[in-house]
């Protein structure tokens, strides 16, 4: 769609109409009814012509918009395969898959590390209290020999477990590489959505010219109350820019304040 | 103490399961939406329900209302853990009889605090 196309012939039609009305008035006042009737018929004809032209323009733009999204005529399967929308859904599906895989990998490693950490902690605490007894000379020789080998085992296990934990931590680090990949994918889908919006706005502008010529008025009042109700139960998902909005809480503290103001 | 965790994302169920285990609640089951959760709850095995709001099938809000309308289940303590952050939604959940409301993202400390508060009030 280029700019010239956006200059609607509807405007020209209106100018023409204005002229014709002036002449029509003259003809009626002069009593020339035959000429007046002919002029009215011409005006109708002119309106139809303009309308055809405008609808043609709209259709062409629609085709162009679809071509921009690489949706070619053909069977449904081909259209699906060529559609950038379909591609975008696949890409977002890929983001979900990648983030889920990464989250699970991270949790696997965390769950594997936690028992190691708590083992080091528990045995360390037990040895520390034994060690304090030794410091207070409150230990028999046999107990000391036991403590000695216990410390030996603890050092072995701790060396092994902590290097395992280190390995787990660096794998957790690597599991965050999804951010780069998903970031790129989401960026591309965002660009597509912007493209689609631009094209839809252009189409809407053209369609409004058709509406103007035909005098079509659309029902815009939705049964929004019903919709709201359903939406309310459905949930809306995470809210963006919560700190800039009054109708959204910006964190748990806000939730707690709100609930306690309700008597909770 | 047997707890049912309802969330459509398995990662979130896993996070909550781990946090609950750290709090000493290791007896947990999971469901991925209200439709799966409801028959499980109706067995009467559960003492506590942790649910998300936005799920395909039956939402957490519908589950909350259904549970409160069921004579056998209506006193079940329910904690909602959700990304839904509109004030009117929180008010609606409170009016529907939720016992606690945690917004995502949340911390282990917040979850612990809310669960403890719920039990305190029940005693």
């Amino acid at each position: 769609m280029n700019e010239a196309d956006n200059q609607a012939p509807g405007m020209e039609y209106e100018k023409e109409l204005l002229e014709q009305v002036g002449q029509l008035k003259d003809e009626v006042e002069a009593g020339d009814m035959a000429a007046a009737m002919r002029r009215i018929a011409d005006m109708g004809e002119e309106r139809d012509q303009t309308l055809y032209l405008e609808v043609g323009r709209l259709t062409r733009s629609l085709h162009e918009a679809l071509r921009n999204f690489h949706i070619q005529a053909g069977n449904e399967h081909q259209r699906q395969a060529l559609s950038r929308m379909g591609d975008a859904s696949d890409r977002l599906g890929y983001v979900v898959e990648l983030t889920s895989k990464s989250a699970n990998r991270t949790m696997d490693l965390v769950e594997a590390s936690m028992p190691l950490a708590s083992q080091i902690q528990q045995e360390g605490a037990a040895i520390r209290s034994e060690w304090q007894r030794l410091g207070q000379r409150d230990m028999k020789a046999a107990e000391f020999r036991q403590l000695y080998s216990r410390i030996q085992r603890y050092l072995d296990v701790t060396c092994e477990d902590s290097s395992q934990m280190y390995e787990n931590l660096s794998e957790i680090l690597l599991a965050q590489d999804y951010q780069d990949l998903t970031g790129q994918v989401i960026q591309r889908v965002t660009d597509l959505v912007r493209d689609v919006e631009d094209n839809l706005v252009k189409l809407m502008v053209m369609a409004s010219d058709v509406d103007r010529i035909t005098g079509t008025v659309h029902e815009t009042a939705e049964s929004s109350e019903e919709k709201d109700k359903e939406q309310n139960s459905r949930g809306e998902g995470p809210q963006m820019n919560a700190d800039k909005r009054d109708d959204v809480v910006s964190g748990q503290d806000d939730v707690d304040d709100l609930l306690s103001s309700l008597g909770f | 103490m047997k707890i049912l965790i309802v969330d459509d994302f398995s990662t979130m169920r896993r996070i909550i399961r781990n946090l609950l285990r750290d709090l000493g609640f290791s007896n947990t089951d999971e469901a991925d939406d209200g439709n799966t959760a409801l028959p499980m709850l109706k067995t009467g095995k559960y003492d506590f329900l942790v649910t998300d709001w936005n799920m395909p099938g039956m939402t957490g809000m519908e589950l909350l209302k259904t549970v409160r309308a069921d004579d056998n289940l209506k006193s079940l303590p329910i904690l909602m853990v959700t990304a839904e952050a509109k004030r009117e939604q929180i008010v609606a959940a409170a009016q529907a009889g939720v016992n606690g409301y945690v917004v995502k993202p949340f911390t282990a400390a917040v979850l612990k605090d809310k669960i403890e508060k719920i039990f305190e009030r029940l005693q």
Side-chain angles (χ1 to χ4, degrees):
Chain A
M1 270 185 269
N2 58 46
E3 282 307 310
D5 271 356
N6 285 336
Q7 285 300 321
M11 294 289 193
E12 294 158 34
Y13 173 63
E14 276 168 31
K15 226 162 62 192
E16 179 80 20
L17 197 62
L18 210 61
E19 255 169 52
Q20 300 266 22
V21 167
Q23 284 165 9
L24 182 65
K25 188 166 170 278
D26 292 345
E27 281 160 2
V28 172
E29 278 169 357
D32 190 353
M33 288 322 252
M37 290 320 276
R38 233 180 2 254
R39 191 169 297 282
I40 290 171
D42 283 353
M43 282 161 71
E45 178 85 0
E46 178 78 18
R47 170 187 174 278
D48 289 348
Q49 287 299 328
T50 315
L51 187 60
Y52 293 148
L53 212 69
E54 199 63 4
V55 169
R57 196 185 287 258
L58 186 60
T59 312
R60 204 168 61 239
S61 310
L62 197 56
H63 272 291
E64 212 168 304
L66 288 176
R67 211 171 38 243
N68 282 342
F69 297 129
H70 305 285
I71 305 170
Q72 307 286 342
N75 64 37
E76 187 57 32
H77 181 73
Q78 279 173 325
R79 268 203 294 276
Q80 280 281 319
L82 290 164
S83 152
R84 272 170 71 197
M85 290 294 180
D87 184 48
S89 314
D90 286 350
R91 282 169 188 275
L92 289 180
Y94 173 70
V95 169
V96 172
E97 188 194 313
L98 217 58
T99 49
S100 148
K101 224 157 107 186
S102 168
N104 278 309
R105 179 83 191 116
T106 302
M107 284 191 279
D108 283 345
L109 291 159
V110 168
E111 282 177 10
S113 305
M114 280 170 137
L116 301 181
S118 77
Q119 189 178 307
I120 290 172
Q121 190 272 329
Q122 278 165 20
E123 184 65 3
I127 288 175
R128 183 176 57 194
S129 68
E130 292 288 284
W131 189 254
Q132 277 163 357
R133 276 180 58 208
L134 179 67
Q136 290 153 6
R137 301 181 187 282
D138 176 22
M139 190 173 272
K140 296 192 181 84
E143 283 179 319
F144 175 71
R145 278 193 294 277
Q146 262 182 9
L147 177 60
Y148 181 85
S149 51
R150 191 174 182 179
I151 290 175
Q152 182 64 54
R153 274 198 309 278
Y154 180 65
L155 292 176
D156 290 344
V157 169
T158 301
C159 279
E160 216 170 278
D161 284 357
S162 54
S163 72
Q164 180 65 54
M165 277 165 60
Y166 186 89
E167 226 171 87
N168 292 352
L169 286 173
S170 44
E171 264 197 70
I172 287 173
L173 198 68
L174 282 179
Q176 313 311 309
D177 64 350
Y178 72 91
Q179 173 58 34
D180 171 38
L181 302 171
T182 55
Q184 290 182 45
V185 169
I186 290 173
Q187 194 62 53
R188 291 189 62 158
V189 175
T190 310
D191 290 347
L192 168 68
V193 171
R194 199 169 298 130
D195 269 14
V196 171
E197 191 186 12
D198 283 353
N199 277 294
L200 284 179
V201 167
K202 283 179 191 161
L203 283 176
M204 223 174 67
V205 169
M206 298 207 147
S208 73
D209 278 330
V210 172
D211 285 347
R212 209 152 45 88
I213 295 164
T214 56
T216 309
V217 178
H218 293 279
E219 292 277 345
T220 46
E222 311 138 40
S223 53
S224 59
E225 205 166 306
E226 196 85 334
K227 238 184 191 165
D228 272 3
K229 227 176 180 175
E230 198 191 328
Q231 186 62 36
N232 226 336
S233 160
R234 267 290 78 182
E236 302 182 13
Q239 301 286 346
M240 307 295 134
N241 303 321
D243 48 342
K244 294 192 193 88
R245 293 175 50 178
D246 283 342
D247 59 335
V248 171
V249 295
S250 62
Q252 189 63 42
D253 288 345
D254 263 8
V255 176
D256 295 348
D257 288 350
L258 178 59
L259 287 177
S260 69
S261 77
L262 294 170
F264 269 74
Chain B
M1 167 70 58
K2 198 168 175 65
I3 302 178
L4 183 65
I5 304 166
V6 191
D7 197 307
D8 52 332
F9 277 90
S10 65
T11 44
M12 187 44 72
R13 293 200 300 271
R14 196 170 165 188
I15 289 170
I16 294 172
R17 192 179 68 217
N18 268 296
L19 290 172
L20 287 175
R21 200 197 49 220
D22 279 352
L23 296 175
F25 306 108
S26 46
N27 194 2
T28 54
D29 278 336
E30 296 175 25
D32 61 4
D33 83 323
N35 289 326
T36 328
L38 202 54
M40 295 173 81
L41 290 170
K42 282 189 171 156
T43 62
K45 287 194 302 188
Y46 299 94
D47 311 295
F48 195 80
L49 171 64
V50 178
T51 182
D52 184 20
W53 182 317
N54 197 355
M55 295 178 286
M58 190 197 277
T59 66
M61 188 59 174
E62 287 158 355
L63 180 63
L64 169 64
K65 287 177 177 164
T66 312
V67 166
R68 287 292 176 254
D70 186 310
D71 276 340
N72 295 316
L73 295 173
K74 63 183 175 196
S75 58
L76 182 75
I78 300 176
L79 175 66
M80 203 163 243
V81 179
T82 173
E84 301 303 325
K86 287 181 97 170
R87 288 175 189 280
E88 60 180 39
Q89 290 178 304
I90 298 164
V91 172
Q95 282 165 349
V98 81
N99 301 80
Y101 198 102
V102 172
V103 280
K104 297 173 184 172
F106 60 96
T107 63
V110 164
L111 190 68
K112 180 169 186 279
D113 181 52
K114 298 308 158 210
I115 289 176
E116 281 171 354
K117 281 227 172 77
I118 290 173
F119 287 136
E120 259 171 44
R121 247 179 268 130
L122 288 176
Q123 276 157 12

